[in-house]
Amino acid sequence: MIAFIDTHGGTHGVEPICKVLRIAPSTYHAHVAKRRDPAKLSARARQDAALKIEVRRVFDQNFSVYGVRKVWRQLKREGFDVARCTVSRLMRDMGLRGVIRGKSVRTTISDTAAPCPLDHVNRQFKASRPNVLWLSDFTYGAPRPTVGEAYDWNAKEKGGLKKK
């Protein structure tokens, strides 16, 4: 909003734009004053500005692979008294992420060119008697890549999921 008011304030005036955006003009003027004079920033904002430079330096010096924990430990070794959660917040704000070891788990590799399977029951999950309508479920499980289960629909309606 501040950027919008900066852009269009000369044409339409600050107060009318603030009235339409439903923010107090004093809020806009306070932000402009902080931008012009960094001494008016809060202590946390001033500390964050100084720490962001150091976090970026440590991150870049270590080939952009350090995560929050290693950047925090390096800053502690260099004598900066900073909390780990502060380093985490600053790295998140700057878009910095460390390299994660290993491969990511891909549970499904779908073939978009393949046709979808036919719906043999037309979404009518009703069975007149047992052993007429069977359903299957393939779910990703941690110990094994896929766990397949088949259910008798009629048994499900009666309350218990009977695995067959």
Side-chain angles (χ1 to χ4, degrees):
M1 280 196 243
I2 304 299
F4 180 80
I5 296 172
D6 285 342
T7 305
H8 301 288
T11 308
H12 304 288
V14 172
E15 283 76 15
I17 293 174
C18 289
K19 188 175 183 180
V20 171
L21 295 175
R22 292 188 173 183
I23 64 167
S26 60
T27 303
Y28 168 75
H29 293 299
H31 279 280
V32 171
K34 288 177 186 175
R35 192 182 330 149
R36 287 185 183 151
D37 185 14
K40 292 184 179 180
L41 290 172
S42 66
R44 177 178 168 171
R46 283 184 297 216
Q47 182 185 17
D48 284 354
L51 283 175
K52 279 183 179 182
I53 296 168
E54 297 301 324
V55 168
R56 172 67 75 176
R57 179 187 56 79
V58 170
F59 186 76
D60 289 340
Q61 280 180 350
N62 292 286
F63 308 105
S64 302
V65 297
Y66 271 16
V68 172
R69 187 173 54 97
K70 288 187 176 183
V71 169
W72 172 66
R73 286 189 175 176
Q74 181 62 34
L75 288 172
K76 295 288 272 185
R77 279 193 293 271
E78 293 177 6
F80 291 96
D81 186 26
V82 61
R84 185 174 174 270
C85 59
T86 303
V87 174
S88 174
R89 179 176 49 83
L90 294 176
M91 286 183 68
R92 186 174 48 250
D93 290 348
M94 292 188 295
L96 303 178
R97 292 187 65 189
V99 174
I100 298 171
R101 292 184 193 171
K103 289 185 176 181
S104 61
V105 177
R106 262 183 97 179
T107 59
T108 305
I109 303 171
S110 59
D111 184 8
T112 55
C116 293
L118 297 175
D119 184 4
H120 294 291
V121 295
N122 291 327
R123 299 282 177 220
Q124 300 298 317
F125 299 106
K126 296 178 183 171
S128 57
R129 61 185 193 281
N131 283 332
V132 174
L133 179 61
W134 284 81
L135 304 173
S136 63
D137 178 28
F138 290 94
T139 308
Y140 176 78
R144 297 181 301 262
T146 55
V147 177
E149 297 174 348
Y151 300 99
D152 181 358
W153 186 257
N154 199 17
K156 180 181 178 186
E157 285 185 351
K158 291 183 179 175
L161 285 175
K162 296 181 180 178
K163 294 181 185 177
K164 298 281 181 162

